[in-house]
Amino acid sequence: MKSARYTRAIMRSAVLGVAFLRLVAMPTPAAAETGAEAWLRYSALSPQAARAYEKLPRNTVLLGESPVLKTAQQELIRDAAQMLGRSLRIRTSSSPQNAVILGKLTDLHALVPTLHAPQDLRADGYWLKAAKIHGSECLVVTASTDRGVLYGVFALLSKIARGESLAAIDIKDIDEVQQPYAPIRWVNQWDNLDGRIERGYGGPSIFFTDGNVRSDLTRAGQYARVLASIGINGCTINNVNAAPGILADSFIAQVSRIADVFRPWGVQLSLSVDLGSPKVMGGLDTFDPLDPRVAEWWRKKADEIYRRIPDFGGFVVKADSEGRLGPSTYGRTPADAANVIARALKPHGGVVFYRAFVYNHHLDWHDLKNDRAKAAYDNFHPLDGAFDDNVIIQIKNGPIDFQVREPASPLFAGLRRTNEAIELQITQEYTGQQRHLCFLIPMWKEVLGFDMHVDGNPVPVRDLVAGNVFHRPTGGFVGVANVGMDANWLGSPLAMANLYGFGRLAWDPNLTAEKIIDEWTRLTFGSDPLVNQTIAAMQLNSWHVYESYTGPLGAGTLTNILGNHYDPGPESSEENGWGQWHRADHAGIGMDRTIATGTGFIGQYPPDVQKLYESLANCPDNLLLFFHHVPYTYALHSGKTVIQHIYDSHYEGAKRAHDFIAQWRTLEGHIDDERYRDILARFEYQAGEAVVWRDAICTWIYRLSGIPDDKGRVGTPPSH
Ligand code: GCW
């Protein structure tokens, strides 16, 4: 009943939309934009562009009636009307003439037994196929799951919105199968129950406020739509530094309301849990994972959750990490801890993500062999094979912590009999906190494409995490998103390219950064070539620019590591237990992680990768200081000394950040004023911050090394 009303409401708004479009002769200059629609703006196409879609069927038929399928049809009707100015009419399966037919393959076969997908459709994969059905031209959007149908609809809408392959939309030609690379494509939100978000830069939580679930969950539903549109199928709603109270029965009842608004979009809800819960809030005197009472506690808890949330996804666990309780309290292993929870979830089909971010933050920095980078591999590699089938080890992309550049974590190649997922950070904790432009897809692509040379064979990280290499039952991609109540979700309009890109890479890590940014820019700003080219180029350069005025040569972000992770603070990242970044002194700089003389971290990689990093001759310049300690006068492959490279890089980076202002100004009048002015102000701010960074790091290193800048810039007061 409710959904029929909703359908009518959608239809009404579509009809009104059409009426409105008829009144407006031509697309007006861009209207006010808040960013709330993200890349789902679906603005009216120009009459000329719309003509290319004239052959899109006039009707739509839905086979089945699940909430996800209904969402798919409503989305199609509404957005096609917005873009094309005409509304698809709903027909039943008895009259599928000239229709976009939506439904699972099994239902489609009942209608057209002869239609067979060209390949097996994996869960969530879809097939867009033009076909003559009962003598009339139809367009089929089909999949093996309801969710796949929804993804197929979003893909079709995206093509129309981007004006992609106009010829391909010719009803006779379209025949496209898309399959996700891996089953796990999730986001994590680090939301606290009081409404604050750890490392969130887009406003307060869309889920929680003052210790409760928000009464109005409109934004949570909109978020699920945004996620579904790029194929993301799971969302962990609370901070990995989990409040035990999340598991109180009364709270689960509240959380189930969030699951209700996710469900129509095929997004599974999951929770971060505190491993101490059985004791801290559960009434037991222990949380020892091997105690049968603890196992029973988790079983009952899981049963209770599934009673209220039948499609619940599972738990994320951060334990023995940064002060969190963990199995070490009882001399147990991460496998003991993960398995006790996994067994409680197993009968319901749930999974446990156990984070590999386990390290000692009271490390003795005087001991030059100590190295935080070694922790994940040291803790998890020996347990390979000890984890149950529904446990996934969630591994940060690099061995430290989302720095501006890190090598791929060696643990990706260190687990053969254990599921794994890569954890990428969409929220820009160490990369400018959404106040600096930093498009992270090129960085993620480098990691996903990094060849781990497993057993001497070429093996990119993307295949390891997808579970393809060692034939694991599951695996994939997790992104720490941290969207908030700000209208534009992440606090900065351009930062949304990272969320979009995460979803696209999780679906297909072989997509190029260029393709992803082109898609995002067209969807977000329209089809003006100047806008597309300018924004794409700025985004594609932005990571290198940020890296060059913060921490080049693999030195780490050089930010204030004990505080906000934003301002320059190179001294803070040394001489404390949280790990060592650069070991800079008067004679040299860099962390010696070699097998021969350093911490031995390089020894965690397969032999061919060891060869790459162990020798100074082979080690790439951009990771030199991550792996080696060298004198400031050491000559890079480029021929420059390390110190001169650092000076030049900071000056050049700050200049390039400043150039962003002029590049952006070329877009005045080509995009809406709101976003134009908002983003311009951000670039002006970033240019100033880049100078602060440049001067802080150059002065620091000049004082340490005593070596002047060849070009005479460092250490001299500014001339005006
Ligand atoms: O990078 C660090 C962050 C912490 C975060 C932790 C983690 C949620 O500074 O805020 O805690 O990583 O990933 O667990």
Side-chain angles (χ1 to χ4, degrees):
M1 187 57 211
K2 186 172 162 211
S3 80
R5 260 206 315 274
Y6 181 50
T7 310
R8 278 200 300 278
I10 293 280
M11 294 297 296
R12 252 200 319 275
S13 71
V15 170
L16 284 175
V18 174
F20 174 73
L21 287 170
R22 291 213 175 106
L23 287 176
V24 188
M26 271 293 293
T28 44
E33 300 263 4
T34 62
E37 298 287 337
W39 47 85
L40 304 173
R41 293 160 62 249
Y42 300 126
S43 40
L45 300 189
S46 69
Q48 187 205 357
R51 257 199 303 281
Y53 296 93
E54 250 156 27
K55 288 186 183 162
L56 193 76
R58 306 273 140 180
N59 306 306
T60 168
V61 169
L62 184 64
L63 310 174
E65 52 179 25
S66 75
V68 172
L69 285 176
K70 284 185 181 153
T71 309
Q73 191 180 46
Q74 289 159 4
E75 191 71 35
L76 175 69
I77 293 170
R78 184 180 70 179
D79 305 336
Q82 258 178 238
M83 289 190 285
L84 302 173
R86 67 182 164 88
S87 209
L88 295 168
R89 280 176 303 270
I90 295 181
R91 297 275 188 247
T92 64
S93 57
S94 56
S95 56
Q97 275 79 34
N98 190 226
V100 181
I101 301 178
L102 311 175
K104 284 200 295 193
L105 260 181
T106 41
D107 295 319
L108 186 71
H109 283 153
L111 188 70
V112 205
T114 49
L115 209 56
H116 293 290
Q119 49 182 280
D120 270 353
L121 292 179
R122 293 193 292 274
D124 296 349
Y126 58 84
W127 182 31
L128 306 181
K129 169 73 177 158
K132 256 210 166 111
I133 295 177
H134 297 186
S136 92
E137 308 279 11
C138 289
L139 177 57
V140 169
V141 181
T142 190
S144 60
T145 58
D146 295 345
R147 200 155 57 192
V149 176
L150 177 62
Y151 296 162
V153 163
F154 274 119
L156 178 64
L157 291 166
S158 171
K159 282 176 190 294
I160 300 174
R162 287 180 285 115
E164 187 191 81
S165 327
L166 296 188
I169 201 72
D170 189 316
I171 205 67
K172 287 185 291 301
D173 294 342
I174 192 161
D175 185 358
E176 180 179 337
V177 172
Q178 290 284 340
Q179 310 260 33
Y181 211 71
I184 300 293
R185 303 178 308 279
W186 286 40
V187 289
N188 285 180
Q189 287 277 140
W190 288 351
D191 297 29
N192 296 319
L193 308 192
D194 65 5
R196 287 179 300 176
I197 304 181
E198 183 156 348
R199 317 298 175 188
Y201 312 105
S205 172
I206 61 173
F207 304 123
F208 309 112
T209 183
D210 297 330
N212 286 300
V213 169
R214 281 180 179 275
S215 51
D216 180 355
L217 289 172
T218 310
R219 281 283 277 190
Q222 290 166 346
Y223 186 37
R225 173 175 177 247
V226 165
L227 295 177
S229 74
I230 44 174
I232 292 175
N233 55 9
C235 175
T236 310
I237 57 172
N238 64 312
N239 193 350
V240 287
N241 292 322
I246 191 98
L247 286 180
D249 288 351
S250 57
F251 210 89
I252 293 168
Q254 294 195 39
V255 161
S256 71
R257 293 180 38 242
I258 303 176
D260 291 344
V261 301
F262 280 4
R263 191 162 299 117
W265 303 98
V267 175
Q268 280 187 286
L269 179 141
S270 70
L271 295 175
S272 297
V273 294
D274 184 324
L275 204 75
S277 301
K279 180 173 174 187
V280 182
M281 53 74 65
L284 300 185
D285 58 5
T286 179
F287 64 93
D288 179 353
L290 295 191
D291 188 311
R293 289 170 302 153
V294 170
E296 178 60 14
W297 189 90
W298 283 110
R299 240 191 323 274
K300 286 211 171 110
K301 193 49 76 182
D303 292 349
E304 169 63 11
I305 293 176
Y306 279 93
R307 201 173 62 71
R308 292 183 183 274
I309 311 175
D311 54 351
F312 182 69
F315 293 138
V316 177
V317 180
K318 172 178 178 179
D320 283 325
S321 167
E322 301 186 332
R324 308 300 303 173
L325 291 173
S328 67
T329 307
Y330 302 97
R332 311 298 187 202
T333 67
D336 298 328
N339 291 346
V340 69
I341 303 178
R343 285 167 200 166
L345 295 169
K346 177 89 176 174
H348 307 283
V351 293
V352 173
F353 291 82
Y354 200 98
R355 296 177 85 230
F357 189 61
V358 175
Y359 71 101
N360 171 8
H361 66 277
H362 299 292
L363 215 58
D364 176 9
W365 55 269
H366 298 94
D367 182 344
L368 297 186
K369 295 286 174 195
N370 279 345
D371 183 0
R372 169 174 164 183
K374 283 165 39 181
Y377 188 95
D378 281 350
N379 283 308
F380 287 85
H381 170 70
L383 296 172
D384 187 22
F387 294 92
D388 282 10
D389 256 12
N390 61 331
V391 176
I392 299 158
I393 304 302
Q394 183 167 318
I395 307 168
K396 289 192 182 188
N397 59 277
I400 299 277
D401 190 8
F402 301 134
Q403 298 300 288
V404 68
R405 184 183 293 273
E406 292 185 46
S409 169
L411 187 57
F412 293 123
L415 299 176
R416 291 169 180 240
R417 289 171 296 138
T418 306
N419 307 320
E420 52 184 74
I422 188 169
E423 181 179 310
L424 300 166
Q425 199 181 38
I426 297 160
T427 188
Q428 294 169 231
E429 176 181 359
Y430 289 97
T431 49
Q433 304 190 350
Q434 273 95 295
R435 289 183 261 172
H436 297 233
L437 184 68
C438 195
F439 180 56
L440 295 165
I441 279 55
M443 176 210 275
W444 297 340
K445 284 219 37 113
E446 282 193 16
V447 176
L448 292 168
F450 182 75
D451 184 355
M452 279 289 184
H453 295 279
V454 177
D455 302 329
N457 299 315
V459 174
V461 167
R462 60 177 176 263
D463 286 349
L464 288 162
V465 300
N468 302 339
V469 182
F470 299 114
H471 312 293
R472 299 302 313 162
T474 190
F477 305 81
V478 177
V480 180
N482 292 359
V483 303
M485 286 298 283
D486 281 7
N488 64 24
W489 300 98
L490 280 173
S492 158
L494 296 185
M496 285 296 275
N498 287 325
L499 179 56
Y500 181 82
F502 168 76
R504 297 296 286 133
L505 279 186
W507 184 271
D508 180 2
N510 287 311
L511 290 172
T512 63
E514 289 75 13
K515 162 89 173 130
I516 291 172
I517 198 60
D518 180 67
E519 287 180 4
W520 177 81
T521 309
R522 284 170 194 279
L523 293 170
T524 307
F525 288 99
S527 58
D528 181 334
L530 178 75
V531 174
N532 297 151
Q533 283 154 21
T534 307
I535 296 181
M538 294 172 82
Q539 291 267 23
L540 288 168
N541 288 329
S542 59
W543 170 43
H544 289 294
V545 170
Y546 184 78
E547 177 184 33
S548 58
Y549 64 74
T550 57
L553 299 178
T557 306
L558 300 185
T559 186
N560 178 349
I561 203 70
L562 299 176
N564 61 7
H565 297 185
Y566 176 75
D567 294 317
E571 291 97 344
S572 72
S573 45
E574 282 298 315
E575 305 192 357
N576 71 71
W578 291 87
Q580 293 66 45
W581 261 247
H582 50 70
R583 291 210 193 279
D585 60 18
H586 68 281
I589 183 169
M591 270 295 278
D592 183 355
R593 293 190 160 105
T594 60
I595 305 166
T597 56
T599 68
F601 165 74
I602 292 175
Q604 296 182 338
Y605 287 102
D608 287 338
V609 181
Q610 292 178 14
K611 277 185 214 136
L612 173 68
Y613 291 141
E614 178 79 4
S615 89
L616 272 168
N618 293 343
C619 185
D621 284 349
N622 60 20
L623 280 170
L624 179 74
L625 304 182
F626 190 91
F627 287 114
H628 295 273
H629 186 82
V630 293
Y632 291 107
T633 50
Y634 176 79
L636 298 167
H637 291 120
S638 68
K640 253 186 211 176
T641 62
V642 163
I643 187 82
Q644 194 56 43
H645 179 96
I646 293 175
Y647 293 144
D648 288 352
S649 166
H650 281 84
Y651 273 84
E652 190 177 324
K655 177 175 177 315
R656 291 177 74 191
H658 190 266
D659 290 346
F660 282 156
I661 300 174
Q663 289 158 21
W664 187 255
R665 280 190 195 281
T666 63
L667 303 185
E668 186 166 12
H670 289 258
I671 63 171
D672 55 287
D673 265 8
E674 279 74 13
R675 287 185 297 181
Y676 173 75
R677 272 190 265 112
D678 175 21
I679 295 169
L680 177 62
R682 288 169 190 280
F683 282 126
E684 284 166 346
Y685 171 83
Q686 180 178 351
E689 290 284 283
V691 169
V692 170
W693 265 97
R694 178 195 77 191
D695 292 349
I697 301 299
C698 289
T699 308
W700 165 73
I701 208 147
Y702 171 59
R703 286 202 182 126
L704 263 179
S705 66
I707 301 175
D709 167 27
D710 277 355
K711 304 197 173 95
R713 297 160 299 192
V714 181
T716 19
S719 49
H720 52 83

